Structure formats: C-alpha cells, structure tokens
C-alpha cells in the first residue's frame, strides 16, 4: 500500500505517533488510508450539506475495510461572486483546487481517494487532480438543489433572480415581486437547479466513467444521495483492490462520450473550458474542432433551465443520465465499452428507462439534430468562440448589428440597466479573458438583465470572458485570441457591423483585412488590471480559452 510509506517500520514511529494523535489505533495501520476530498463550506449553498455526504462516504469506506480521512478544498459560489470584483476569483480556483489536492495526497500518501465536489470550478478542479495523481479515485457530488416554486407552481431557479433584476429595471416587475422571488427561488442546499455548470460537470462525470449512475441528477436532499455516497465508499475500496486508475478510464473514448452527452443535454458553455483541461491532465488532446464534429452528429435531447423552465430534478425523475445515454446508444453515439469505476458504461445503460419523453426526447424526435453547443470561427475569433445554441431564440441564430463596445463587464451592465442598449445591437465586452480579466469573469448579470428586459431575442452579446451556465440568449463567449493578447476583438470599434451565423458556425466583423491590420498596428495593450497577488501570477501563467485556459507558462 502507498500509505505504508507513512505507517510501517521503525523509522515511521514518529508518523504513527501523529496518526495516534488523530485517534487512530494500531489495527488501522494495517488498512488502506482513503482520502475523502470534500468541498464543505458555509458560504456555498451547494456545499452546505457536504459533511453529511462525506459522512455517508466515510461510513461506506470503513464498512468495506478502509480508514477514511477527510480533508477540504476551497470553493467560490459563482452566484455570490457574480457582477463584481469577486468573479475574477472563480475560474482561477480550478487550478488552486487541483494543486492543493496534489499537495495533500502526495504529502500524506493516501492509497485511494473519494472526491466530493459540487458547484462550478470544484468539479473540474478535482477531476484534473484525479487525472494528475492517477491513484484509484471515485466521485460523488453533493447533488442539485430542488427548484423553487412561485404561487402558481412554476419552477424557479437562480436564472429567475438575475433576469428579475432586468425586469424590475424595465418596469415589468415590482420590487415587492422581486422580494418574494428572493424568498423562494433557491429553497435549500445543492448546486443551483438547472443545467448550469455545476450540474453539467457532475453529469459529465457519469459519462467519463468516474462516478456511479445518478451522480449528476439525484437531488441533494434525497436520501438516494446519501445512499449513493455510501456505495461510493464501498466502490473506492474495490477500485483500490483492482488497481483501477483514473487514466485507464479517462481515455479519448471517455472524452468522446462526455462530449456526446454534453451536446445531448445542452450543457453549460463552461464545459468547453473544463473538458479540455481535464483531458490535458489525462494526456488526451482535445481541440475545439472536435466539439463541432461531435455536435454535428449528436442530437439535442434535453432542454432544461435556462433553455426552458424545466429544472434538473425532472431529468432525474425521467431516468437521469443513464436514460440519456441509452437514447444516444440507439444511434451508436456512445461507446458502451468504455471502462468506468464500476465496470463498463454499458452497465449503466442496460437498465435505464426514459419515463418522460417530454424531458428526454427520443433519439428520433430531438429538439434539434445537432448538439446544444456550437463553436464559431471568423475574423473576430480566429481561434474560436462558443455559444449555447440550444438556449438561443430562433430569431437570433442569424443576426447582424452594430457593435456596442465596453472595456469591462460593469460598464456594459450599467448601459443595459440604463436603457442604452437597443434592439439589434451587438454588445462587445472585452479585456475580460483569462489574462485580461484577469480570471475570465462570468457575465450572468448583463445577460440576465438583457433577458429580464425582454431583449434576449433582439440583442447579441460577445465577449472574451465567459458565461454562467444559467445564461440564455445569443451570448457568445471565450472569443479567442482574447483582447489582452491583441486578438481581433480588441480592434472592433463602436458601430462596426458584426455578423453572427450560428448554423454556419461563423462570426465576423464586417471590415476588410487591410483595415484590421491597420488597426492592429495602432493597438497598444493596456496595463494589467491587477499587478500583485494570485491574480497577477495567474495572468502570467494562463493560456488561451481555446485550449481550456490551462497554465502554459509554468
């Protein structure tokens, strides 16, 4: 056992003394040490209950003959960090989480790991750590929040609140109505109730083979979630016994399965950052062309919030991810032979049943014949950009309009709330990329305001930053190269016509190459917004969003 390095022999007597200070007994030194990596905190609703999930997982480990040892990781609540300086500190935690797990595991010689994430950057950060460390690992998330309900029974999610801000500004909702929504939109613990980034990534864990079925959809407050955690405790002991390692699971086959599921569900655009970053740690090369290649043949089967009013709990009731995978398998869009922590992906699919075809469309009756995400290219984004096409109004799939230029998210939000954005405009928010932000802020405040004001089918927004999974509308992010690197988005001027054609996968500013080159010769990179601390170091190390915004200058 790896843990023998800190448990066995005369030279390790001091180490055993320290373990005994933790309450361990001699008999436990003969058992594997299982690290339980848990994102418990009291600032993130998705993390509030993770001590209960961790306890169930620990119970399973102990009953199966292991010694569970918990340790924490940090986590930012994207919703609370949204719309202000705090959002710079969201994406950047992904690398911190992966690095901190590496430090803890290597320093203490754990034999295997259970990862208990919830919420946006925590899931991919932990997956990156699992691939990097390559010791037996199993994931079990904290599960999604139940949807809130209004007085008429309509489902409410976090998107409701951000869009309500715009509705109040437009005179479509009173402040009293807004206050009532505050009381009911987020009714308890769990990751926000929609196909937002956290739930997208927890569902992707199933397709990658790193978690048991229903990891992505069983609600946080269901007893099923605790049972799943306990089963994970037993399972990690099996993976240790059989030496099932993450890199044997996280193969190209697994990532293709993940992309197919991503397209079928209409997941968050943030998956285009996270899946390549995880693949990079596993030694698998993914590029943006592959996303479109998979999207071209994978139908969109689900339209959950924010693409509709259907919360993720309804996906669970309909059969969860196994039922979606089973639909995809009917057209051979999933490789069922892919290995998982519990056997083969086919083990999940064979017993699956789609019990609500309004939530999970049959493979021959999809919402659209292509996937929920699309990568666009053009002279404004030569390295690509991403849009959640399943959440775009049909009238905005093709759009041309004048650029409205903003050098920061806050300026754009103030203009939207001030009624300065008109139907037909294309809002451009730049210098918010991985390096220029720094930190690549999510833009749910401006997109929510646009939707709340009834402009989401009339206005497009493009940025070198990114969007919350709760965003809907013609919101195009990750424009690469970013403005801070001299990308063409930095050269666009107020009033330039920008043409967007999502079905054709194109986005361009209507000026010729000669004019672009002239503007490029006059362009000067503004000074960095942050010159000290972690964000300054992050800006120096981070690479392009087109490659997952992973560290390159290390």
């Amino acid at each position: 056992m790896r843990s023998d390095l800190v448990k066995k022999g005369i030279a390790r007597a001091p180490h055993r003394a320290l373990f005994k200070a933790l309450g361990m007994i001699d008999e436990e030194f003969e058992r594997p040490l299982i690290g339980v990596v848990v994102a418990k905190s009291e600032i993130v609703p998705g993390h509030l209950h993770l001590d209960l999930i961790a306890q169930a997982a620990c119970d399973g480990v102990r009953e199966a003959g292991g010694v569970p040892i918990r340790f924490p990781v940090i986590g930012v609540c994207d919703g609370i960090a949204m719309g202000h300086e705090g959002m710079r500190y969201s994406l950047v935690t992904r690398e911190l989480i992966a690095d901190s797990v590496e430090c803890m595991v290597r320093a203490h010689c754990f034999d295997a790991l259970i990862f208990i994430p919830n919420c946006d950057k925590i899931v991919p950060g932990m997956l990156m750590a699992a691939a990097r460390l390559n010791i037996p690992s199993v994931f079990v998330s904290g599960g999604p929040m139940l949807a809130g309900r209004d007085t008429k029974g309509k489902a409410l999610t976090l998107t409701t609140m951000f869009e309500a801000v715009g509705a109040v500004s437009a005179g479509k909702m009173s402040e009293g109505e807004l206050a009532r929504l505050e009381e009911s939109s987020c009714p308890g613990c769990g990751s926000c109730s929609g196909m937002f980034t956290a739930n997208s990534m927890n569902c992707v864990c199933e397709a990658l083979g790193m978690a048991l079925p229903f990891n992505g959809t069983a609600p946080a407050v269901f007893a099923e979630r605790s049972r799943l955690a306990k089963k994970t405790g037993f399972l990690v002991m099996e993976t240790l016994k059989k030496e099932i390692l993450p890199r044997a699971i996280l193969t190209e086959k697994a990532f293709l399965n993940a992309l197919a599921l991503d397209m079928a569900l209409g997941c968050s655009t943030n998956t285009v950052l996270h899946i390549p970053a995880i693949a990079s740690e596993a030694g698998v090369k993914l590029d943006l062309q592959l996303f479109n290649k998979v999207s071209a043949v994978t139908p969109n089967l689900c339209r959950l919030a924010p693409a509709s009013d259907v919360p993720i709990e309804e996906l669970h009731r309909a059969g969860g991810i196994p039922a979606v995978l089973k639909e995809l398998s009917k057209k051979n869009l999933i490789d069922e032979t892919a290995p998982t922590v519990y056997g083969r992906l086919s083990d999940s699919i064979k017993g699956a049943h789609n019990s609500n075809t309004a939530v999970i469309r049959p493979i021959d009756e999809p919402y659209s014949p292509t996937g929920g995400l699309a990568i666009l290219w053009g002279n404004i984004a030569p390295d690509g950009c991403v849009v959640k096409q399943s959440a775009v109004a049909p009238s905005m799939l093709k759009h041309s309009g004048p650029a409205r230029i903003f050098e920061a998210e806050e300026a754009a939000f103030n203009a939207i709330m001030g009624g300065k954005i008109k139907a037909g405009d294309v809002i451009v928010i730049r210098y918010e990329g991985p390096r220029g932000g720094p930190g690549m802020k999510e833009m749910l405040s401006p997109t929510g305001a646009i939707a709340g004001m009834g402009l989401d089918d009339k206005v497009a927004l493009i940025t070198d930053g990114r969007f919350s999974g709760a965003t809907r509308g013609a919101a195009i992010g990750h424009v690469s190269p970013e403005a801070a690197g001299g990308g063409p988005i930095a050269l666009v001027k107020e009033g330039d016509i920008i043409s967007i054609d999502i079905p054709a996968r194109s986005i361009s500013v209507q000026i010729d190459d000669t004019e672009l080159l002239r503007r490029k010769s006059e362009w000067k990179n503004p000074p960095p917004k942050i010159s000290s601390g972690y964000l300054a170091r992050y800006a120096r190390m981070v690479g392009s969003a087109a490659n997952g915004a992973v560290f390159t200058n290390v």
Side-chain angles (χ1 to χ4, degrees), residues 45-47 49 118-119 142-146 189-194 198-199 202 220 312:
H47 297 179
H49 64 304
N118 237 20
C119 303
M145 183 186 295
L146 292 175
C189 65
S191 49
C192 295
S193 181
N199 293 326
N202 282 329
I312 194 168

Side-chain angles (χ1 to χ4, degrees), residues 475-538:
I476 299 167
H478 311 188
V479 172
S480 301
E482 63 175 293
I489 191 173
L491 311 178
V492 182
K493 294 183 177 181
E494 186 83 11
D496 285 345
I497 300 300
I498 295 176
S499 294
I500 300 162
D501 189 335
I502 295 173
R505 305 297 190 253
S506 71
I507 180 170
S508 296
V509 56
Q510 298 306 299
I511 55 178
D512 61 34
D513 292 346
T514 302
E515 176 62 13
L516 271 178
L517 287 172
R518 186 191 68 76
R519 293 183 187 183
K520 176 71 172 178
S521 69
E522 296 175 350
W523 174 81
K524 293 182 180 179
N525 203 1
K529 297 174 184 175
I530 306 291
S531 57
S532 63
Y534 178 58
L535 282 180
R537 296 198 302 275
Y538 180 88

Side-chain angles (χ1 to χ4, degrees), residues 141-283:
S141 78
M145 183 186 295
L146 292 175
R149 300 284 168 177
D150 66 11
T151 55
K152 298 179 181 179
K154 180 182 177 182
L156 306 174
T157 70
L158 186 64
T159 301
T160 309
M161 291 309 307
F162 278 93
E163 294 184 0
V165 172
V168 171
S169 178
K172 297 182 177 182
M173 180 183 290
S174 70
E175 291 190 30
E177 290 174 299
L178 180 68
R180 285 191 289 275
L181 287 177
E182 278 183 43
E183 297 292 334
S184 53
S185 290
C186 298
C189 65
S191 49
C192 295
S193 181
M195 192 48 71
F196 310 150
T197 307
N199 293 326
S200 295
M201 292 306 304
N202 282 329
C203 291
V204 162
C205 278
E206 292 188 46
L208 286 174
M210 292 298 294
L212 284 165
F214 306 107
N215 171 73
T217 59
V221 296
F222 281 17
E224 180 181 356
R225 176 59 56 183
S226 293
R227 296 197 300 271
L228 196 64
K230 187 173 285 188
K231 289 178 182 177
T232 299
F234 279 90
L235 180 59
V236 77
M237 296 300 292
E238 281 297 307
T239 63
L240 176 60
K241 180 180 178 181
K242 297 175 181 177
E243 275 290 299
I244 299 172
L245 304 181
R247 287 184 202 165
I249 294 171
L250 296 173
T251 62
E252 183 178 14
K253 185 185 298 187
F255 286 105
L256 288 172
N257 284 342
L259 292 183
L261 178 69
D262 194 344
M263 298 304 166
L265 292 176
C267 288
S268 165
T269 53
N270 284 311
T271 60
V272 180
L273 287 175
H274 300 321
I275 292 175
I278 298 159
S280 178
E281 291 283 0

Side-chain angles (χ1 to χ4, degrees), residues 316-350:
H316 184 66
R317 293 187 176 101
I321 300 308
V324 178
L325 294 175
K326 188 166 188 174
E327 290 294 339
L328 293 174
S329 72
K330 294 175 183 178
K331 297 285 188 181
N332 297 315
L333 297 172
I334 289 291
D335 190 330
E336 298 183 47
T337 68
T340 69
V341 288
Y342 53 85
R344 299 282 174 184
L345 199 61
S346 57
D347 297 332
S348 168
I349 294 172
K350 63 186 177 185

Side-chain angles (χ1 to χ4, degrees), residues 1 7 27-34 58-68 111 233-234 237 240:
M1 290 187 289
K7 295 185 308 186
E27 288 80 357
E28 289 177 304
F29 295 136
E30 302 303 318
R31 300 178 179 182
L33 300 186
I34 310 300
C58 289
D59 289 346
V61 168
R62 198 169 291 281
E63 289 177 35
V67 180
D111 295 299
F234 279 90
M237 296 300 292
L240 176 60

